[in-house]
Amino acid sequence: MTAPEKTVADFWFDPACPWAWMTSRWMLEVEKVRPVEVRWHVMSLGVLNEDKLDEIPEEYRAALRKGGSAWGAVRVCIAAARKHGPDVLGPLYTALGTRIHVQGLPAEHETLVAALEEAGLPAELADAAHSDAFDAELRASHQEGIEKVGQDVGTPVIAVPGADGEQIAFFGPVVTPAPKGEAAARLWDGTLLVASTPGFYEIKRTRTQGPVFD
């Protein structure tokens, strides 16, 4: 018996976003329980908000300004993918997110270097955090995701097959904690169901719980 063909899910993330981290852990669980392959892409909260910083709460503005801390990890991810191929993004994101979200470490040079080394990548890629050398590619990756989903979103963005086989993109799902096992499978099945429904756009409710990192 041949294995079923895998469904591709394209996933855009910013390593700084805790909600993207939660959704990404769900997608890794989905890969265990459904024939799914996740393709990782980078988007940037810095790029997303650069024209509306005045609307952002003051405590986040410094990080989101060009060259702020929110730009460092995404630049490193883009540089790693450019030099070593897109397949490095999944392991690198896991290494970064574990440190930033689970361990609560700042996304500074030491943290970036440790994540790169865990992912089997050269430590010198951490220097990209303070360089605009890859910003054009960062913006292109970001724009690819935004063009699929629209402007009024954040991260994560996930694109899955719709009714006609063409990809339908959504912001989210936003969920905490990340579902495991059959619960992860059910949420995935539901995601495909709504994506296959012509004219479906949004389900939303107010978040009453923060990210649960387990």
Side-chain angles (χ1 to χ4, degrees), residues 13-18 21 41-47 63-82 88-101 105-113 115-116 121 125-131 134-135 138 141:
F13 67 92
D14 184 321
C17 177
W21 173 253
H41 309 269
V42 181
M43 65 182 295
S44 167
L45 291 173
V47 173
L64 291 171
R65 286 194 178 96
K66 187 69 177 290
S69 60
W71 288 77
V74 289
R75 283 171 162 173
V76 170
C77 287
I78 284 290
R82 172 66 177 82
V88 305
L89 283 175
L92 179 56
Y93 182 25
T94 290
L96 284 167
T98 299
R99 286 165 174 79
I100 294 170
H101 301 300
L105 299 175
E108 58 189 21
H109 185 79
E110 182 179 349
T111 301
L112 299 175
V113 168
L116 286 163
L121 294 165
L125 285 170
D127 296 338
H130 304 290
S131 169
F134 298 96
D135 281 8
L138 172 59
S141 179

Side-chain angles (χ1 to χ4, degrees), residues 188-213:
W188 170 253
D189 295 342
T191 301
L192 293 183
L193 176 62
V194 296
S196 67
T197 303
F200 176 85
Y201 290 99
E202 183 176 12
I203 293 176
K204 189 172 183 178
R205 65 174 178 156
T206 299
R207 291 197 297 263
T208 58
Q209 182 179 10
V212 176
F213 305 120

